[in-house]
Structures are given as C-alpha cells and as structure tokens.
Amino acid sequence: MRVTELKEAVQRIKFDTDKQERMILAIQGKKGRSYRFTKTLRIAASLVVCILALGILSVPVRALVNSLVQERMEAVPAEEIEKIGEQLQSQRTEADGVTREYTEEERARREKLYAQYLDGLFPEGELIQVDSEDEAAEHEFCFLTTTSVYYLPTDRTLTDEEILEQIDFERKRDYALQEQHAEEIAEREAAKKEQIKKVIASGGVTEEQAVEIAARYLEQIFDLNGDGMELNHYYENPNSDVSGLANTYCVNWSNVGGRKYYYFYIDAADGTLRSVSYSGDIEESIAIKPSAADAVGKAKQATEAAQNFLKEKMKILESFEEVKSCYRVYTDDDSVGRLVDTLFIKADGTVHVVECRWDGQISGYYVTTKEVYEETQRAIVKSLEKQYAREKGRETQIEVMVVVGLTE
C-alpha cells in the first residue's frame, strides 16, 4: 500500500526533534525514563498539528509494503483499530517513552525480528495495554496508554515474543492513523497525481527517475544499496507544509528494525538533490552531547567532519566566503542541543548547511540562504522556549551560539 498524505506529514518526524525544528518556519504567519523520538519524522508534533489537526504524532507512520503485514492489519477488528486511533488522538506527549534504555542485544534482536516479522513471523499474543501506573506495576512488560510509555522488564531482557508484540502494536498504530483519514488522504493523493502530470509535462523528472537519483546518492553518501530496507517515495506538492521542500520527491529507505532512516528530497523540476537526512540512534547522540563549556572545541571538530563530507561525499569543491558553526544552548541548565550546524556561506548569501552530531556523524545536509537560515533559527528558539516552559514547568532562554573564524 502506498504511503499517503498523512504518512508523508508524520513520517518526517522520524525520531529526531532537531530535524523536527526545521519545520517551524513552514507554519510561522524524567530520571529513569528515556524518551525516543520516533520516525520519521521522524517534525515536532506541535508543528504538524496544522496538517491534519491531530497533535499525536509520536509514532512513525510507515507504508505497509509487505502483503503479509497488510493482510494481518486488515484482519484486525475495526473496533480495535478505532480504539487505537482514539488513543493516538488523545495522546499529549510528543514521543513514546520507555522505562529503561534498550540493551544493545535487544536492539540487535529487534532488527532481525523485524525482518522476520515482514516475512510473516507474528507474535502469538498481544501487547498488554494498561490505563494507570498501578496497573503497569503489575506487569513486567506492558504499554501505559495515558502516557505512551512502554514498561520494560527491570531484571531481564525482552523476549523475542515481547519484541514481536511491540513491533506488531506499532504497526497497528500506523494502520489506525492511515485508516482514520482515508478519505482525506485519497483526495490529496488524487490532487498530487494531477500535479505530477504537470511537472512531467513541463520537462521535470518522474517519480521513478527520482528514485534512481536518490539511490545513487544513498550509495555515494552512505555506501548502501538499499538491500534489506523498506523503500518509500512520494511527491511534495507546491502547497507543502514543509519549508523549502515543495515540488520535490521524497525518497526514503528505512531499516525499521535497526531504527535507521535515510531521506532524500529530489527536485521534481531538474532532479537535483535539495536535502538529505539520516536518523539513527537518538539516545546515543544525546549521551555524547558536551557541556556548554566544551561545546566550542567540539563544534570545531564537527566542522572538520562537515568539511570532509561536503568535499568527499557531496563532491562540492568550491570556495566559500565564510564558514561557521551554530548550536543552541539552554541557559536554564547550561545544556546544548543534540546537533551542531556548519554553515558554508557563499558571497551571494547561499548557504550549504551540514548537520552533525557532536561526534562528527553527519545527520543532514541542505541548501538555503543566510536570511532564511537565520529566520528559521529565531522561529525555532521561540517555539522551543514555549515548549520547554510547557514541559518543564519553568522558563529558559535559548541562545544560538556561533563559532566563527573557521577555515576550510
């Protein structure tokens, strides 16, 4: 089944709030409990509300590309799908939570089990769902619907059956979202097909050509050929809510079991790459954040990685008028954001932006202008400060720190 408008909106949420923040411009005018930000789009829930007025987007919506999974979802009683949909609508958190970190062994098994799930290895039972913390305390493994938290065993690892139950539950949530808005999705999909016809008639690239272009970039940038991953692609229409990505084809590969996602936005008019992003282990990237005091030195190291990426992976060898790094600092607790941006600025104001984790792993790349980037940062800061006050119960100021004087 082709993923449609709702999935397109939600999927870019992925697991990554830093990526989510880039959507802000488009709509301008607990200790012991670890939160994972899920696909998709990885695009913060508070920002995507405008798309379908949901406000529940903690779950990545994926295409049900496997016929066995599709058949399984269609066999789920309508009452159960409706109940799941209602839970998602009422969900107030921007992410699912877990009561402890997944172990490396659990992560590795999940990746293998997910591939087997697509081939028809389904759980024997159902994930237990409870509505209160008292009920959750009675089970080793369950899902608390009121807070969207998975309660994991404290003194043992998850069994294969439990991992399969969680995978199956997540798929049902995807399906419930899709079914809830089937009529609106169909209307928007029809409108997109008409727009694609116009694009092609005016000399633009087809969706199939965009997939081929993105596949070349997947190999060029990440040394991958897409084997073992789910492929999805769709068109962003001219009225897209995603800033800077209208009139593009989004082509993405998902290693859902390993929680790795690769997104490419290909210009529909000429086939050029407009944006690329990668989402991997979010908990790991949070854990390696430096202190505010150490961030300047780390930013310079990230810039070196960004320079190598631009030259070696993107094959961009031109010179730039200025190179600098930007990152956010929360003055309330002196913490920094999860990513650091390196800006390669040309004399005409064009900016190549490379997003890095603090260890230098590339998270994204796109081209914008200096003015748009600065405006986006102001909007992000304003939105994040409100979000911080709402979630933490106290105010903070967020400063965008700039490290200048960097050389190519």
Side-chain angles (χ1 to χ4, degrees):
M1 177 180 291
R2 177 181 169 81
V3 181
T4 48
E5 188 76 9
L6 176 61
K7 191 206 72 62
E8 298 167 17
V10 183
Q11 192 172 45
R12 285 182 301 279
I13 298 171
K14 296 183 274 195
F15 303 129
D16 186 342
T17 50
D18 289 271
K19 287 289 191 305
Q20 296 164 5
E21 294 159 6
R22 285 174 55 191
M23 279 200 66
I24 292 177
L25 186 61
I27 62 166
Q28 279 184 283
K30 312 178 199 169
K31 184 67 175 175
R33 180 168 292 176
S34 168
Y35 287 89
R36 63 180 178 83
F37 294 90
T38 55
K39 183 176 174 185
T40 110
L41 98 281
R42 311 130 325 287
I43 308 177
S46 59
L47 304 179
V48 188
V49 168
C50 64
I51 299 175
L52 288 176
L54 290 176
I56 47 78
L57 305 177
S58 67
V59 202
V61 179
R62 293 176 290 270
L64 299 176
V65 296
N66 184 282
S67 61
L68 293 175
V69 177
Q70 176 67 27
E71 291 173 5
R72 179 174 176 80
M73 294 301 105
E74 291 176 348
V76 176
E79 296 79 8
E80 182 178 348
I81 294 299
E82 183 177 355
K83 182 179 179 180
I84 293 173
E86 291 173 353
Q87 288 176 357
L88 289 169
Q89 291 259 23
S90 62
Q91 183 175 317
R92 296 183 180 275
T93 59
E94 294 179 0
D96 291 338
V98 289
T99 53
R100 66 163 171 79
E101 300 286 352
Y102 295 99
T103 67
E104 289 300 319
E105 188 271 343
E106 287 171 332
R107 293 174 188 273
R109 271 195 295 131
R110 177 187 165 89
E111 185 167 356
K112 293 179 180 178
L113 286 168
Y114 186 82
Q116 293 176 301
Y117 177 86
L118 295 179
D119 288 335
L121 179 64
F122 301 130
E124 296 180 0
E126 300 280 343
L127 174 67
I128 295 173
Q129 300 179 54
V130 297
D131 300 324
S132 71
E133 292 188 0
D134 289 340
E135 288 182 272
E138 299 175 3
H139 303 277
E140 283 191 299
F141 177 62
C142 64
F143 180 76
L144 180 54
T145 60
T146 54
T147 58
S148 300
V149 172
Y150 291 95
Y151 279 69
L152 308 184
T154 58
D155 56 355
R156 65 173 177 82
T157 59
L158 291 166
T159 66
D160 287 358
E161 167 66 17
E162 288 168 336
I163 292 174
L164 285 170
E165 288 178 3
Q166 184 175 355
I167 292 171
D168 195 50
F169 179 62
E170 291 171 351
R171 277 298 194 174
K172 288 177 180 177
R173 298 172 95 188
D174 297 345
Y175 185 72
L177 281 176
Q178 186 172 296
E179 290 300 293
Q180 268 188 331
H181 300 274
E183 184 175 345
E184 183 175 359
I185 286 170
E187 291 176 356
R188 296 192 179 195
E189 187 70 6
K192 281 193 175 184
K193 288 181 179 179
E194 290 302 314
Q195 182 60 35
I196 290 174
K197 290 181 182 179
K198 295 178 181 179
V199 169
I200 297 173
S202 62
V205 300
T206 67
E207 194 162 338
E208 291 72 20
Q209 289 172 325
V211 172
E212 294 176 359
I213 294 168
R216 292 197 291 270
Y217 277 114
L218 180 68
E219 184 171 6
Q220 175 179 316
I221 296 174
F222 299 105
D223 298 319
L224 297 171
N225 61 12
D227 288 350
M229 293 191 286
E230 295 182 41
L231 169 64
N232 184 42
H233 44 87
Y234 48 84
Y235 176 72
E236 290 287 0
N237 65 38
N239 298 317
S240 170
D241 290 300
V242 184
S243 179
L245 296 178
N247 293 312
T248 63
Y249 294 105
C250 175
V251 183
N252 57 84
W253 284 266
S254 303
N255 178 343
V256 181
R259 302 192 187 283
K260 299 175 183 177
Y261 307 91
Y262 306 84
Y263 273 67
F264 301 84
Y265 288 87
I266 307 299
D267 194 300
D270 58 15
T272 58
L273 179 67
R274 295 262 289 273
S275 175
V276 59
S277 64
Y278 162 75
S279 291
D281 191 325
I282 301 303
E283 287 96 351
E284 179 182 295
S285 64
I286 291 174
I288 62 175
K289 292 194 305 182
S291 66
D294 295 334
V296 173
K298 290 289 186 179
K300 292 182 178 179
Q301 293 178 25
T303 294
E304 293 177 1
Q307 290 173 328
N308 291 335
F309 169 81
L310 207 63
K311 294 177 180 178
E312 297 175 8
K313 296 295 186 180
M314 298 306 301
K315 311 301 181 183
I316 297 175
L317 306 177
E318 59 191 286
S319 59
F320 297 93
E321 186 177 68
E322 184 181 13
V323 179
K324 62 183 180 182
S325 292
C326 298
Y327 59 91
R328 286 180 287 280
V329 174
Y330 292 72
T331 58
D332 178 69
D333 57 7
D334 214 29
S335 63
V336 300
R338 194 180 61 80
L339 299 179
V340 54
D341 293 347
T342 298
L343 279 60
F344 299 86
I345 305 171
K346 299 178 66 174
D348 64 358
T350 300
V351 181
H352 293 258
V353 181
V354 180
E355 303 166 320
C356 290
R357 301 191 334 174
W358 288 97
D359 63 355
Q361 183 180 91
I362 304 301
S363 180
Y365 162 79
Y366 61 99
V367 179
T368 185
T369 66
K370 185 176 181 180
E371 291 74 15
V372 169
Y373 180 85
E374 292 173 350
E375 183 180 358
T376 301
Q377 293 305 309
R378 288 192 292 269
I380 288 172
V381 166
K382 184 177 180 180
S383 178
L384 289 180
E385 287 177 343
K386 290 181 179 179
Q387 180 181 333
Y388 188 94
R390 183 175 63 253
E391 295 180 354
K392 302 289 186 179
R394 62 181 187 274
E395 295 184 354
T396 188
Q397 288 186 332
I398 302 175
E399 298 180 1
V400 177
M401 306 302 292
V402 179
V403 181
V404 297
L406 302 170
T407 57
E408 293 184 68

